[in-house]
Amino acid sequence: MNDQGRPYAGASREQRESARREQLVTAGISLFGTQGYRSATVGAVCAEAGLNKRYFYESFATLEDLLCEVYGRVVADLRASVLAGGGEDAAAVLRGFMSGFLTWAQADPVQARVHLFEVLGVSAQVDELYRWQGRTIGDELSSRLSATVDAPQLTAGQQRVLGDVLIGAGVQMVVNWVISDYQPPRDELLDEMDSTLGWVLAAGLSTLR
């Protein structure tokens, strides 16, 4: 067996490298979500992970590359939460989405800080990743909404606009809620959202009469 695949303490080189990468990602989530990305250093991440600094560059070229990996993990967890619910009508789909988003943000404030604050304005690369992730979830959400409405289907462009509107509004609601120390309580905020959407729909129908 060559050195590339030689086992060590029951694990191959590839397995050890993968384990160290996971340690670094876990450390990155912890540091970026508590101290903040801009306050973190490669040395601090390695110290948090319990690894020698040289192992960082085995997996990542820069701290920003680690941030991109961390953000991907965070959004995967968020996506599972916001898209977990179903709903037979548009109001139920939207309430399920926002309930999942609010619950996730309150249950894991470390990951929420990464998603809501720490990735903003870092670089063009991270900005594009942020937009792409938002568009992906927005496309899925708008598709679910379209499936509940007995009306002509939206064009691809309209679907994208709807997704952008929903994601933008959802993120802003959660940011304000987190900054306000989770006030009002989640269910009260969801009820306010439902009543507001009801008013918007009623106002829209009145203009069509």
Side-chain angles (χ1 to χ4, degrees):
M1 182 179 294
N2 60 34
D3 185 62
Q4 179 72 16
R6 179 176 297 145
Y8 177 80
S12 69
R13 177 177 175 180
E14 291 84 356
Q15 289 171 326
R16 297 195 306 275
E17 289 178 354
S18 178
R20 288 192 291 266
R21 181 183 178 88
E22 289 303 309
Q23 287 174 256
L24 291 166
V25 172
T26 300
I29 292 173
S30 177
L31 287 180
F32 300 160
T34 54
Q35 298 179 18
Y37 170 73
R38 290 164 180 81
S39 297
T41 64
V42 170
V45 169
C46 291
E48 179 76 12
L51 295 172
N52 188 293
K53 191 173 179 179
R54 68 186 176 90
Y55 287 124
F56 180 91
Y57 298 102
E58 174 184 78
S59 296
F60 303 101
T62 66
L63 197 63
E64 185 177 312
D65 288 338
L66 173 61
L67 176 64
C68 290
E69 179 65 23
V70 161
Y71 184 57
R73 304 288 184 93
V74 167
V75 174
D77 191 60
L78 169 61
R79 179 181 176 279
S81 180
V82 299
L83 298 177
E88 296 183 357
D89 56 45
V93 170
L94 287 174
R95 187 180 179 97
F97 168 77
M98 283 308 303
S99 177
F101 202 165
L102 294 168
T103 299
W104 176 84
Q106 188 170 27
D108 198 336
V110 171
Q111 290 203 83
R113 176 173 172 176
V114 173
H115 174 62
L116 298 173
F117 305 107
E118 294 305 317
V119 297
L120 302 179
V122 171
S123 69
Q125 175 190 7
V126 179
D127 286 346
E128 179 54 33
L129 179 61
Y130 180 84
R131 288 192 295 268
W132 181 83
Q133 294 285 10
R135 286 195 300 265
T136 299
I137 296 176
D139 287 347
E140 293 185 63
L141 179 59
S142 61
S143 293
R144 288 191 181 189
L145 281 173
S146 295
T148 68
V149 179
D150 184 18
Q153 291 299 298
L154 298 175
T155 66
Q158 291 170 329
Q159 197 100 334
R160 174 59 54 81
V161 169
L162 176 61
D164 287 345
V165 169
L166 294 173
I167 294 301
V171 168
Q172 191 59 51
M173 279 183 62
V174 176
V175 166
N176 289 339
W177 192 59
V178 169
I179 292 174
S180 301
D181 195 24
Y182 313 110
Q183 293 300 319
R186 187 198 64 173
D187 288 346
E188 183 178 328
L189 180 57
L190 289 170
D191 289 343
E192 289 179 354
M193 181 191 77
D194 287 343
S195 61
T196 301
L197 289 175
W199 182 89
V200 170
L201 290 174
L205 288 174
S206 69
T207 63
L208 296 176
R209 294 191 182 113

